[in-house]
């Protein structure tokens, strides 16, 4: 089944290894295939990964986009260790996310990590 995407004016999306920027009007299209896809609102950069959960998310994002878990596994474990030292109560969510990664469900893991980012933001208020 194809993924339906609507992009706002000038919104960006990553499809595979390409960043696509929309023009000045809304665009609707369907994407068929197995390439990793992330909308601009779900993309973190090294500059925006400024908290323990966001650093873990960025690492999982790279695993997903590059389809290369082993390349980032050691970095991921280091970020998880830092996160759990800072917020031990996040252990159940991190364990669930790690299981998703191990089973190859990286996009689902990212969705779960986004929930954790919201929890972290609430804690920081």
């Amino acid at each position: 089944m194809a993924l339906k995407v609507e992009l706002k004016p000038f919104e960006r999306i990553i499809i595979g290894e390409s960043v696509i920027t929309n023009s000045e009007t809304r665009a609707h299209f369907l994407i068929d295939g197995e390439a990793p896809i992330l909308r601009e609102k779900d993309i973190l950069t090294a500059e925006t990964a400024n908290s323990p959960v966001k650093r873990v998310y960025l690492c999982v994002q790279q695993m997903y986009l590059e389809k290369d878990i082993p390349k980032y596994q050691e970095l991921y474990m280091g970020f998880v260790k830092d996160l759990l030292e800072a917020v031990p109560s996040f252990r159940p969510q991190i364990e669930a996310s790690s299981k998703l990664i191990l089973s190859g469900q990286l996009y689902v893991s990212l969705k779960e990590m986004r929930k954790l980012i919201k929890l972290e933001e609430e804690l920081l208020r």
Side-chain angles (χ1 to χ4, degrees):
M1 175 174 269
L3 174 66
K4 295 178 185 179
V5 176
E6 178 182 338
L7 291 181
K8 298 173 188 169
F10 304 105
E11 185 177 9
R12 293 179 299 172
I13 187 170
I14 295 176
I15 301 176
E17 296 179 9
S18 301
V19 177
I20 298 168
T21 304
N22 192 21
S23 65
E24 64 274 349
T25 61
R26 282 191 182 272
H28 302 267
F29 53 96
L30 301 174
I31 302 170
D32 246 336
E34 296 299 317
I37 299 168
L38 278 180
R39 295 178 69 107
E40 182 172 18
K41 67 179 181 159
D42 298 324
I43 298 169
L44 282 183
T45 64
E47 295 78 29
T48 59
N50 55 6
S51 72
V53 175
K54 288 180 179 179
R55 284 188 281 281
V56 174
Y57 180 96
L58 179 63
C59 193
V60 177
Q61 174 185 289
Q62 291 309 113
M63 290 176 185
Y64 172 66
L65 291 173
E66 294 180 27
K67 295 185 177 184
D68 193 348
I69 295 170
K71 179 178 177 181
Y72 293 96
Q73 193 167 7
E74 189 175 326
L75 188 61
Y76 174 81
M77 295 307 292
F79 287 150
V80 164
K81 180 180 178 279
D82 293 344
L83 171 60
L84 292 178
E85 285 176 4
V87 191
S89 64
F90 284 1
R91 181 173 296 282
Q93 294 94 328
I94 291 297
E95 287 176 353
S97 182
S98 294
K99 286 179 185 175
L100 289 166
I101 292 168
L102 291 174
S103 67
Q105 298 179 62
L106 295 165
Y107 185 78
V108 179
S109 178
L110 287 173
K111 285 174 61 174
E112 292 302 312
M113 292 299 302
R114 284 193 287 275
K115 294 176 189 175
L116 210 51
I117 288 172
K118 288 180 182 176
L119 285 174
E120 181 185 50
E121 288 171 351
E122 289 174 13
L123 284 175
L124 295 174
R125 287 185 203 165

